[in-house]
Amino acid sequence: MPNGSLSLPARLYLLAWDTNRTEVTGAARLPHLVRAGALTELAQRGLLTDDDGIATPVDMDSLTGDAVLDGLLELVRESRPHRWRTWVTLHARVTFDAVREQLTAEGYLRAEKKRVLGLFPSVDHVLAQAAVVDALRDEARQVLEGPVPVSEISDREAAVVALAAAAELPTLVPGKDRKLHKARVEALTERSGAAAPALRKVVGEVHTALIASLTAVAVAGAD
């Protein structure tokens, strides 16, 4: 993928942007998707591991150098133990806001001040680099649709697409297309944790937790 230095949560946030309408899609589910991406990357980097279903820091000192990932890692270290499902949702907005501010600072987004009802100051974040998002989406679609064998796809690329599919991200995998790509997505999910059996378990836990949280969001929205 282009802009390979982007973290998984940053890529997932950018992939949610519809560059034709210049608006972010799936806003209600996006904080949980971004958090799932951060948890997956920390697991892939070997900084979070599974201890009988509990998301557990490997040590108390290691850092990634990425402010968003390190912020989540610190939060996990300082909090009482929680299962992966809890971490997908617990304070998820903190990680989401941190990713948005990071992307703004790096020029992918632009912050525009406005006033609500003409009185209350507020800030809108708008996409500043649509071409980057288009390139990310094109690469993600190639991963999703083939023809490259899943075994030749990196665990990071596999994780991005598998998580986006789990969230039914409208810009990549609309709900109506999910069944069409079911087998490929399952293979990509497996590939996301290919580095070790323990990592496969973590990735599976995060994906299951993400789907459960998004189902709850959808039910709440229907009420």
Side-chain angles (χ1 to χ4, degrees):
M1 285 187 178
N3 296 278
S5 62
L6 287 169
S7 67
L8 295 189
R11 292 187 187 198
L12 289 165
Y13 182 95
L14 290 175
L15 281 172
W17 278 88
D18 183 329
T19 55
N20 292 321
R21 297 182 178 181
T22 61
E23 64 182 16
V24 72
T25 62
R29 67 186 68 180
L30 195 51
H32 295 175
L33 173 59
V34 167
R35 171 58 70 77
L39 290 168
T40 299
E41 178 149 0
L42 287 172
Q44 287 183 337
R45 289 182 181 226
L47 296 176
L48 280 183
T49 189
D50 182 79
D51 183 5
D52 196 23
I54 303 295
T56 306
V58 172
D59 60 54
M60 299 302 290
D61 300 312
S62 298
L63 296 172
T64 67
D66 181 286
V68 174
L69 296 175
D70 290 339
L72 176 56
L73 193 56
E74 182 179 0
L75 182 61
V76 175
R77 286 169 176 160
E78 293 180 349
S79 303
R80 66 182 180 84
H82 290 295
R83 294 188 173 276
W84 297 97
R85 177 171 182 169
T86 300
W87 277 121
V88 168
T89 59
L90 184 65
H91 306 308
R93 189 81 196 188
V94 172
T95 301
F96 173 80
D97 289 344
V99 166
R100 187 175 60 187
E101 293 308 314
Q102 181 185 62
L103 290 171
T104 301
E106 294 177 355
Y108 294 97
L109 305 177
R110 184 174 63 254
E112 295 184 348
K113 295 181 180 180
K114 67 174 186 176
R115 288 189 177 273
V116 178
L117 301 177
L119 297 173
F120 306 105
S122 182
V123 175
D124 272 346
H125 289 82
V126 299
L127 187 62
Q129 295 193 32
V132 170
V133 174
D134 286 337
L136 286 170
R137 187 169 54 253
D138 288 346
E139 292 285 347
R141 282 178 175 160
Q142 289 181 29
V143 170
L144 177 65
E145 299 171 2
V148 178
V150 170
S151 60
E152 297 179 14
I153 295 170
S154 73
D155 58 351
R156 283 174 57 82
E157 290 179 341
V160 169
V161 176
L163 287 167
E168 296 182 3
L169 202 62
T171 52
L172 184 62
V173 193
K176 62 183 178 64
D177 292 342
R178 188 175 180 187
K179 289 184 178 180
L180 179 65
H181 302 296
K182 182 179 179 181
R184 179 80 169 185
V185 169
E186 288 176 351
L188 289 169
T189 302
E190 184 77 8
R191 179 62 180 166
S192 301
L199 181 56
R200 283 196 293 273
K201 180 180 179 182
V202 170
V203 170
E205 290 270 1
V206 172
H207 278 249
T208 300
L210 176 62
I211 292 170
S213 71
L214 298 181
T215 300
V217 168
V219 171
D223 290 342

